[in-house]
Amino acid sequence: MSVTPENLGDLSRRTLLQRAAAAGLLAVPAMGVLSACAGSEPEKSDTGGGAKSKDNPFGVKDGSAVKVVVFNGGLGDQWAKEDKVIFSAKHPNVTVNMSSTQKIKTEEQPKMATQPSDLVMNSGADMMDRSTLINEGAIEPLDDLLTAPAWDSEGTVADSLLPGTVTDGTQNGKFYVVNVAYTVWGNWYNAALFKKEGWQAPTTWEEFFALAPKIKNKGMAPYVHDAVHGYYPRWALMASIWKTAGKQVVVDIDNLKENAWKADGVVKALEPWEKLVKDKLLLPGKLDHTQSQQAFLDGKAAFIQVGTWLKNEMAATIPPGFELTLSDYWHNADDKTPKDVFASSGEGFVVPSKAPNKEAAKEFLRAMLSKAGSAKFAELTKSLASTKGSGDNVQDTALASANALMKNGGSELISVKFQDFYADLDKESQNLSEELMAGRLTAQQFVDKMQAAADKVAKDSSIKKQTRTA
Amino acid sequence: MRHGVARFVTGFLALPVALYLFYVVWPFVQAAGYSLTDWGGYSNSQRFVGLDNYVRLLSDELIRKAFWHNVFFLVTVPLFTIALALFLAFLLNVGGREDRAGIRGVFGSALYKVIFFFPQVLSLVVIAVMWQQIYRTDSQGLINGLLIKIGLVDADNPIAFTADPEPFLGIPAVLWWLLLIAVWSGAGFYMVLFSAAMQSIPKDIYEAAILDGAGRFDTFFRVTLPLLRDTISVAWVYLGFIALDMYALVFVMTPSQGGPNHASEIFASVIQFNAFQKGQFGYACAIAVALAIFTILLAAVQLRITRRERIEF
């Protein structure tokens, strides 16, 4: 799974400690279990063989049972229960045994080699490592799901998915992970406040810098960010680089191409951020993610940049009358791709290779990705589903604004890969992003240091190199 | 008969020794073995690379940084903790009523003992989470809030505590703020340890000293301190180990676990990063082995330096 918003949002120090400990404890036994799994041939399923039709493309057998395990995290599990209703309407004679848990790896990994569940939502802090699952042959490729007809709309399942979803779930040329949630990043503001003050939400940096003094006059800071976890500001910085310098520059950066960071437009993209810090438009203090989000909700700052999980994460403390609204990252007037939106899919489902009823598992996924199912998902979680149009009928400012952003976006989605490719570059970019936002680095110094870090990784023979094509 | 005893003892000890070898010694040996490979940690395959990892370790900038940060803690944590613990223990046991007969602590010392010992019953993570709130970097933090109210700190520029890499006396500020927590949480235990040692010093020695006209200062430096040498030396070695660790505090309190921008990087954080984030277990094992050797050497040196003739009483 490329991005799991709930994990990032919930990344408290306690869960980090637990995760580090769990990683240490599980690394060794996990190898044994998974290698045992890869060694033997999967048993032949005895539940398939039902008649295949347009309505039943995988041939689910009447009277069979399917076991679905849902991660009960930031999104809850009510939306999955709604999918069960949708599934049962078409297949009344197939029993769905649904359970939800937060301990996916603890509960599912030991069963992978013998009698796994049919459909597992591999998500949360305790998720199974995706590359390991694929390399050990423990999960099933789901390419036939993509070519199957969509549940309740024209075309195939693949046609109904938002851009990026198929790529995010693909590894080694095969589609393994079905991400059901969709995250959009940008600048959040309170539309009710802006209406009351007569402020216009800026779309460009010029408009923002013109508005900032007015915000300051109201005793508010124009902007707040997470100053503890470096990947928060990095989203914004990388989005700016993409918008200003264009996609190819970010692809070159990900591929460690020589002097990729020195390309035209990179420094220019970061200069507004340098100015934002220098002009003291940030809320004072080095707040972490929940502290900064709360400061934003308390009206101490006008803008904050995070993803669409904000509404769910802070649901308990959003003040009444607060119209949480997402706008795109600001761009410069002469940017190359100003309208491209930063978005990606997350919360992945996998079908274990040894699952006894793979047909029903795939059919359940088809139901989950239906128009009806994804609309329920958006309604219940206030997040977009990875199916097109999931947010169309939901009356919620946060979701509606994210939906609108996706619809008006450019031709490409902003995606950055180097942090998943190289741990060194990940850490260095987090550190330097915070340094830039703390005013201890200029845009030019940031770029020079990132180039040096990238060169170091490129030269290090102990690090396995990876490339992206698109 | 002697033979029978030996067999009896062996029979009893075999199982514990076997468990010890398997669960304690064997992992150490394994780590040393892995340190000679390029094991990634998530597969069964590894390649023998000889001493490559150790050669690489010597030129690793991050490790050099971590080394000096560890040295800083190695010097300051024992120094400040022992000084504070000794001061408190002295006050609580023999510091009271200089002018009157009898050797006792200051008024209310029984209560103070409980209060000072209190941090010791909390787990380190609880302590860290508590100090996160105390160190909060805006006006809602305990220290910042107070200082902003009385005008000592500018509300637009609050103290950043563990997010501050600017040097103070040549050392990044974040390390000083971490040191404060380490000393705060450790002093109580060593105060109790030193108290016990002080109570075992015969009172007549103090009485004789007082009769000879010794004040608090003289009693402490001429009587208490020399007689506590053994206890202090043990405390020193023990605190040395703690100072070489510091993992939980760095991990919980600092941005990017060793930040900001590597300002609080220590051995443990470098090991964690290489093993679990970078997937270079072999290299991480090499760092761990180097750390273990360093620790053992340090303990040996410390014990040798502080070895003296015992004073019997």
Side-chain angles (χ1 to χ4, degrees):
Chain A
M1 184 182 305
S2 63
V3 176
T4 47
E6 277 64 36
N7 301 351
L8 297 171
D10 292 341
L11 203 69
S12 73
R13 288 161 180 79
R14 196 174 285 259
T15 54
L16 256 176
L17 279 176
Q18 287 169 347
R19 208 177 305 169
L25 288 175
L26 282 170
V28 176
M31 283 174 346
V33 172
L34 282 173
S35 51
C37 167
S40 53
E41 278 296 304
E43 280 164 47
K44 189 78 197 90
S45 160
D46 60 348
T47 47
K52 293 186 184 179
S53 67
K54 188 175 180 300
D55 242 15
N56 189 2
F58 306 111
V60 178
K61 200 172 164 190
D62 261 8
S64 67
V66 58
K67 184 160 173 19
V68 181
V69 178
V70 180
F71 171 69
N72 188 4
L75 300 172
D77 60 356
Q78 189 55 43
W79 57 274
K81 290 176 186 156
E82 299 289 342
D83 290 330
K84 182 177 166 181
V85 174
I86 293 167
F87 178 87
S88 297
K90 198 172 267 188
H91 300 284
N93 296 324
V94 177
T95 318
V96 180
N97 297 314
M98 183 176 282
S99 61
S100 51
T101 176
Q102 296 197 340
K103 297 268 161 230
I104 294 290
K105 177 152 64 181
T106 314
E107 290 175 16
E108 292 306 312
Q109 191 160 34
K111 292 191 271 180
M112 291 301 273
T114 51
Q115 183 80 346
S117 308
D118 297 299
L119 183 57
V120 179
M121 183 172 172
N122 189 27
S123 178
D126 191 35
M127 64 186 277
M128 299 175 279
D129 182 60
R130 168 177 154 168
S131 294
T132 312
L133 285 176
I134 293 171
N135 294 337
E136 306 283 344
I139 55 173
E140 187 78 357
L142 300 171
D143 297 278
D144 53 344
L145 174 68
L146 294 177
T147 51
W151 184 274
D152 54 3
S153 59
E154 291 301 307
T156 63
V157 170
D159 295 337
S160 69
L161 295 175
L162 280 172
T165 311
V166 174
T167 327
D168 287 341
T170 303
Q171 190 162 325
N172 307 340
K174 281 183 183 160
F175 180 70
Y176 287 97
V177 183
V178 183
N179 290 324
V180 293
Y182 207 76
T183 304
V184 187
W185 281 263
N187 294 314
W188 292 93
Y189 64 98
N190 177 6
L193 174 80
F194 274 55
K195 224 171 284 160
K196 192 181 123 222
E197 301 289 349
W199 297 338
Q200 187 72 38
T203 56
T204 64
W205 280 107
E206 291 81 15
E207 287 170 17
F208 169 73
F209 285 119
L211 177 65
K214 293 183 202 162
I215 297 173
K216 271 194 129 174
N217 281 342
K218 287 281 164 192
M220 267 176 122
Y223 196 85
V224 66
H225 75 110
D226 177 338
V228 173
H229 305 102
Y231 48 88
Y232 276 74
R234 186 180 62 201
W235 289 320
L237 301 181
M238 292 313 296
S240 289
I241 291 176
W242 178 297
K243 279 172 182 283
T244 308
K247 174 185 177 178
Q248 191 56 43
V249 169
V250 175
V251 172
D252 289 347
I253 284 173
D254 288 340
N255 288 338
L256 300 179
K257 206 174 149 194
E258 214 172 318
N259 283 330
W261 286 91
K262 305 275 173 102
D264 278 349
V266 179
V267 173
K268 183 165 172 274
L270 300 174
E271 272 166 350
W273 291 104
E274 188 188 327
K275 180 175 159 63
L276 178 97
V277 179
K278 211 181 276 165
D279 291 0
K280 298 205 175 304
L281 304 181
L282 284 176
L283 185 70
K286 302 270 174 254
L287 304 178
D288 71 13
H289 59 293
T290 40
Q291 289 171 346
S292 59
Q293 284 164 191
Q294 193 56 50
F296 164 70
L297 293 174
D298 291 342
K300 288 183 187 162
F303 289 100
I304 188 170
Q305 75 86 21
V306 280
T308 34
W309 64 86
L310 178 67
K311 175 116 187 177
N312 245 278
E313 188 170 49
M314 304 306 284
T317 54
I318 298 176
F322 197 102
E323 285 180 31
L324 203 55
T325 309
L326 182 67
S327 62
D328 195 8
Y329 288 117
W330 305 310
H331 56 85
N332 298 300
D334 52 351
D335 276 357
K336 276 198 174 153
T337 49
K339 300 211 88 172
D340 285 359
V341 177
F342 199 140
S344 79
S345 63
E347 307 296 313
F349 276 88
V350 296
V351 177
S353 302
K354 293 206 164 184
N357 197 354
K358 280 179 256 188
E359 295 76 20
K362 289 179 199 169
E363 183 69 355
F364 198 91
L365 282 169
R366 210 166 66 93
M368 210 172 252
L369 298 173
S370 67
K371 272 206 152 12
S374 56
K376 274 283 177 200
F377 177 90
E379 182 192 330
L380 290 166
T381 65
K382 303 285 184 287
S383 305
L384 288 179
S386 55
T387 308
K388 284 176 188 159
S390 65
D392 284 355
N393 299 314
V394 185
Q395 301 304 314
D396 175 82
T397 55
L399 188 59
S401 56
N403 203 25
L405 202 57
M406 282 307 299
K407 288 202 160 155
N408 302 327
S411 55
E412 293 259 14
L413 287 177
I414 299 175
S415 71
V416 186
K417 304 278 188 201
F418 71 81
Q419 72 277 12
D420 298 328
F421 289 170
Y422 310 108
D424 294 80
L425 221 43
D426 178 26
K427 182 149 185 167
E428 216 50 38
S429 62
Q430 289 194 36
N431 281 338
L432 297 177
S433 297
E434 290 293 13
E435 292 298 290
L436 178 69
M437 295 305 283
R440 290 190 287 263
L441 288 181
T442 63
Q444 184 65 52
Q445 286 167 329
F446 174 89
V447 167
D448 292 345
K449 282 177 184 278
M450 278 312 301
Q451 184 61 55
D455 289 344
K456 207 172 150 196
V457 171
K459 267 189 240 135
D460 191 335
S461 58
S462 75
I463 298 170
K464 202 178 159 219
K465 303 298 183 298
Q466 307 190 49
T467 47
R468 68 183 280 190
T469 46
Chain B
M1 172 142 178
R2 286 197 70 82
H3 184 68
V5 169
R7 205 158 57 188
F8 181 70
V9 170
T10 318
F12 252 109
L13 285 182
L15 185 64
V17 167
L19 286 175
Y20 180 80
L21 286 176
F22 187 74
Y23 284 108
V24 180
V25 177
W26 180 237
F28 277 109
V29 177
Q30 267 186 316
Y34 285 135
S35 76
L36 303 174
T37 70
D38 67 347
W39 187 42
Y42 291 97
S43 72
N44 277 329
S45 65
Q46 68 255 114
R47 201 165 48 89
F48 182 78
V49 295
L51 291 175
D52 279 8
N53 284 329
Y54 291 92
V55 174
R56 187 176 147 204
L57 187 152
L58 292 175
S59 59
D60 191 327
E61 255 172 80
L62 206 56
I63 291 185
R64 208 167 304 159
K65 211 172 225 178
F67 174 79
W68 288 114
H69 293 162
N70 266 130
V71 168
F72 167 76
F73 284 128
L74 200 58
V75 173
T76 52
V77 169
L79 191 72
F80 287 102
T81 309
I82 290 176
L84 183 65
L86 267 179
F87 176 69
L88 295 175
F90 184 72
L91 287 187
L92 295 183
N93 290 291
V94 288
R97 300 205 190 174
E98 198 179 358
D99 50 332
R100 304 259 287 274
I103 308 299
R104 55 171 66 95
V106 294
F107 178 73
S109 55
L111 179 67
Y112 292 144
K113 264 184 211 173
V114 175
I115 294 173
F116 293 149
F117 189 70
F118 187 65
Q120 199 59 42
V121 302
L122 300 175
S123 94
L124 204 50
V125 174
V126 172
I127 288 173
V129 170
M130 187 181 95
W131 277 86
Q132 268 182 329
Q133 299 309 311
I134 297 174
Y135 276 179
R136 206 184 138 129
T137 54
D138 62 358
S139 57
Q140 286 181 46
L142 190 66
I143 300 179
N144 265 322
L146 215 66
L147 293 179
I148 288 172
K149 274 235 166 69
I150 58 174
L152 279 178
V153 163
D154 177 12
D156 284 338
N157 198 11
I159 306 173
F161 297 106
T162 54
D164 187 1
E166 302 294 339
F168 173 72
L169 301 180
I171 312 286
V174 46
L175 297 183
W176 291 103
W177 293 114
L178 291 177
L179 174 69
L180 180 67
I181 307 175
V183 171
W184 175 86
S185 64
F189 176 79
Y190 293 96
M191 176 207 70
V192 170
L193 184 74
F194 295 149
S195 289
M198 280 181 195
Q199 271 156 11
S200 72
I201 300 173
K203 299 231 160 168
D204 17 333
I205 300 182
Y206 283 108
E207 279 163 1
I210 291 173
L211 279 178
D212 282 343
R216 272 181 181 147
F217 189 82
D218 285 328
T219 14
F220 179 73
F221 281 100
R222 308 254 168 128
V223 180
T224 316
L225 204 53
L227 291 177
L228 285 185
R229 180 175 280 279
D230 274 352
T231 319
I232 293 173
S233 130
V234 169
W236 198 279
V237 172
Y238 203 73
L239 278 163
F241 293 155
I242 292 176
L244 276 180
D245 182 15
M246 289 296 283
Y247 178 64
L249 281 183
V250 166
F251 202 85
V252 179
M253 304 285 300
T254 65
S256 320
Q257 282 80 49
N261 202 15
H262 304 302
S264 62
E265 214 69 72
I266 51 170
F267 270 131
S269 68
V270 178
I271 293 173
Q272 194 272 346
F273 175 70
N274 277 297
F276 296 108
Q277 274 169 275
K278 250 177 106 168
Q280 297 193 345
F281 268 75
Y283 186 48
C285 284
I287 305 173
V289 169
L291 176 62
I293 293 171
F294 183 62
T295 311
I296 292 166
L297 280 180
L298 200 83
V301 168
Q302 275 179 335
L303 286 173
R304 173 139 298 212
I305 290 175
T306 52
R307 194 160 62 189
R308 283 263 187 113
E309 229 175 285
R310 272 173 191 278
I311 298 167
E312 304 275 351
F313 45 73

